[in-house]
Amino acid sequence: MPDRTFGLTVKEIAGMSDLSGKVQTVLGLMDPDQLGRTMTHEHLTMNFEYCFVPPAPGHEDNSLAPFQLENMHWLQQHAYSHRENLLLYQELEAVRDELVCFKKAGGGTIVENTTTGITRDLPVLRQLAKDTGVNIVAGAGYYVDDTHSDETRKMTVEELTDVIVTEVSHGADGTDIRCGVLGEIGTGWPITESEKKVLRATAHAQSQLGCPVIIHPGRNPTAPSEIVRVLQEAGGDISKTVMSHLDRTIFDHDELLEFAKLGSYLEYDLFGTEMLDYPFNLGIDMPNDSQRVQTLAFLIKEGYEDRIVIAHDIHTKNRLTKYGGHGYSHILNNIVPKMLSRGISQKQVDKILIDNPKQWLTFK
Ligand SMILES: CCC(=O)NCCS(=O)(=O)O
């Protein structure tokens, strides 16, 4: 056996089995039974400026307007056409207050999906976890191609694997703070060569570490299954992989069931999002929360209650309660009662919010 694999010693790789049966938060390893209700896809600090969409003619004034009541509905409908709205990292006090409310509402854990490319800030995540008592699991790896640096694009799959494994086993971004999940790993549609390399590296890292993976698919109904194919060919464990953003990706129920058969977790993570025109694909009608709950009920009826996870994927300022948004507690305060009123049992709700995230986040 060689002394080093992808830059790591055999001992280091062997040492990774210390993670087995545990969940890795920004404050260290945890017993999975301590996680509680878990939002599997959120952002607490990030920069989404690269996604700025120039305002439509006639909307220029709204695009520059301050965060005042008069402009909040416009911001909800056009969240990506207001530069300052994309700078979530500026709202740490508001996010801290919201996490305290999340805990009071019965929340336990947040998976923070910010990866390289959209300004991950691990020291801030660690401080937020200390200040609020909410468990925070940080994400390793890379976001979509548009955010890859020239250096990232030039890296081999082995070099990318090495970086990702190090982010979990030793710490990321020059810190000793360790990530506990790979993702959100970003892909567009079609998937680019650089994104395919990252997917393969993710699969290699996952097979070394036995860790959870979470994927951001491109906005096309065939994207999720194509991603699963690439991951599987590279040795990834689809049963420990979450496919995010299904609410804006697969609409046809037969296509959804075909995808569900592939065995990943099925994530509905845009709860709270309401917009008429989805600017990243104008052909898509973004569902509302009632429709999201209907889809959850459909998947449960079809036997997939063990594979569903949910979240809000907050990534813009207007969605914070400080600005009249729904905040990180919307699912606990409003969506759970709606689920119960639509025939989803408390046991099934607990599976979705507690048991499934726990299974997913626990290292093999
Ligand atoms: C960084 C947050 C993110 O990627 N969210 C997904 C937004 S969308 O693709 O569903 O519009």
Side-chain angles (χ1 to χ4, degrees):
M1 200 170 180
D3 278 354
R4 297 189 81 81
T5 306
F6 303 137
L8 295 170
T9 65
V10 171
K11 190 162 168 279
E12 281 169 329
I13 291 170
M16 286 162 197
S17 63
D18 293 350
L19 298 173
S20 179
K22 300 279 187 212
V23 172
Q24 184 151 266
T25 76
V26 291
L27 294 181
L29 295 180
M30 270 191 69
D31 179 343
D33 288 332
Q34 305 304 311
L35 293 179
R37 294 184 185 82
T38 300
M39 298 296 132
T40 50
H41 196 134
E42 304 294 346
H43 299 268
L44 302 174
T45 172
M46 62 167 273
N47 184 344
F48 211 38
E49 221 178 350
Y50 99 94
C51 259
F52 177 72
V53 176
H59 291 239
E60 294 84 355
D61 289 351
N62 299 94
S63 177
L64 296 168
F67 284 78
Q68 284 173 346
L69 201 50
E70 293 80 354
N71 207 37
M72 295 322 295
H73 182 258
W74 183 89
L75 268 169
Q76 182 197 315
Q77 292 293 328
H78 307 277
Y80 305 107
S81 294
H82 189 289
R83 278 193 192 279
E84 206 191 321
N85 196 37
L86 306 179
L87 310 180
L88 187 64
Y89 69 88
Q90 294 178 335
E91 297 294 343
L92 292 185
E93 288 311 312
V95 168
R96 183 178 288 117
D97 292 347
E98 288 232 13
L99 289 182
V100 171
C101 293
F102 173 71
K103 202 168 165 66
K104 278 195 190 133
T109 301
I110 287 203
V111 183
E112 217 281 356
N113 275 252
T114 307
T115 41
T116 298
I118 45 176
T119 321
R120 177 176 54 199
D121 192 337
L122 291 165
V124 160
L125 297 187
R126 182 159 61 181
Q127 196 57 49
L128 286 171
K130 280 184 185 164
D131 291 350
T132 66
V134 172
N135 311 307
I136 299 176
V137 177
Y142 299 84
Y143 193 58
V144 302
D145 185 300
D146 283 346
T147 70
H148 291 184
S149 65
D150 289 345
E151 190 194 352
T152 299
R153 282 178 218 285
K154 283 187 202 132
M155 286 164 79
T156 63
V157 172
E158 289 71 24
E159 288 165 337
L160 290 163
T161 307
D162 199 355
V163 171
I164 295 171
V165 169
T166 301
E167 289 180 350
V168 173
S169 56
H170 293 281
D173 306 333
T175 75
D176 63 355
I177 304 169
R178 297 169 186 193
C179 299
V181 58
L182 312 189
E184 61 184 297
I185 302 298
T187 59
W189 188 256
I191 308 170
T192 70
E193 279 312 306
S194 193
E195 288 167 346
K196 280 187 187 158
K197 274 195 301 178
V198 171
L199 284 175
R200 290 183 188 118
T202 300
H204 292 179
Q206 186 186 36
S207 61
Q208 286 182 42
L209 296 164
C211 63
V213 164
I214 183 164
I215 303 290
H216 165 112
R219 299 167 185 105
N220 183 288
T222 57
S225 49
E226 176 63 9
I227 292 161
V228 165
R229 192 186 63 75
V230 175
L231 289 173
Q232 251 165 352
E233 280 179 11
D237 179 354
I238 302 310
S239 73
K240 276 196 89 61
T241 299
V242 168
M243 191 57 65
S244 303
H245 312 324
L246 287 177
D247 3 16
R248 57 89 166 134
T249 311
I250 302 182
F251 298 91
D252 180 86
H253 275 188
D254 291 337
E255 283 177 27
L256 182 57
L257 292 181
E258 275 308 299
F259 176 70
K261 279 188 207 153
L262 299 179
S264 77
Y265 286 99
L266 310 167
E267 190 176 74
Y268 285 78
D269 53 27
L270 294 164
F271 274 99
T273 306
E274 282 269 8
M275 65 177 70
L276 279 173
D277 294 321
Y278 176 57
F280 304 132
N281 183 335
L282 290 170
I284 285 174
D285 283 332
M286 185 65 87
N288 61 32
D289 282 352
S290 297
Q291 292 165 317
R292 290 185 179 97
V293 171
Q294 284 165 16
T295 305
L296 299 186
F298 167 74
L299 285 169
I300 290 168
K301 180 172 72 62
E302 294 292 332
Y304 288 100
E305 67 187 46
D306 293 339
R307 305 309 294 169
I308 300 169
V309 289
I310 57 177
H312 313 90
D313 186 20
I314 291 182
H315 53 277
T316 54
K317 291 186 185 188
N318 67 297
R319 296 177 67 196
L320 300 174
T321 53
K322 173 181 174 184
Y323 297 118
H326 55 81
Y328 296 93
S329 305
H330 174 55
I331 286 178
L332 297 178
N333 290 338
N334 306 313
I335 300 302
V336 167
K338 179 80 181 180
M339 289 165 78
L340 295 170
S341 83
R342 289 295 180 265
I344 300 175
S345 69
Q346 185 63 54
K347 192 157 174 267
Q348 289 163 332
V349 168
D350 289 345
K351 265 196 182 177
I352 291 169
L353 288 178
I354 303 171
D355 303 335
N356 297 346
K358 178 174 92 173
Q359 292 289 332
W360 170 55
L361 288 169
T362 303
F363 280 66
K364 284 205 316 200

